[in-house]
Amino acid sequence: MSCHQIGHAANHMVNCIFKKYDNGEFGKDTAKDLIRTAVDLIGYCDGNEYEAYETAGSCRCGN
């Protein structure tokens, strides 16, 4: 799996976290922890970490 694909997956996960946070399903600290975990997925890639980070950080304040 390439960094680009991992970045898209992390980006989708972060968007889902924001939706659940906006709906009041959990608090700010939980949302931050989940976002950090999603962005940490970027470490499992093919050596081009910047690609995945740019993709995952492109939504709202996910970065």
Side-chain angles (χ1 to χ4, degrees):
M1 183 178 287
S2 73
C3 288
H4 192 70
Q5 291 168 315
I6 293 171
H8 280 296
N11 190 46
H12 176 73
M13 189 181 302
V14 170
N15 281 325
C16 290
I17 292 166
F18 280 132
K19 286 179 188 175
K20 290 185 175 289
Y21 171 74
D22 290 341
N23 289 335
E25 295 182 38
F26 44 73
K28 185 170 133 181
D29 290 335
T30 300
K32 284 179 169 182
D33 288 341
L34 291 171
I35 290 168
R36 281 189 203 104
T37 300
V39 173
D40 285 345
L41 292 172
I42 297 163
Y44 302 99
C45 72
D46 61 5
N48 298 319
E49 292 88 356
Y50 67 92
E51 290 177 358
Y53 184 76
E54 286 173 2
T55 304
S58 66
C59 68
R60 211 151 114 177
C61 61
N63 58 355

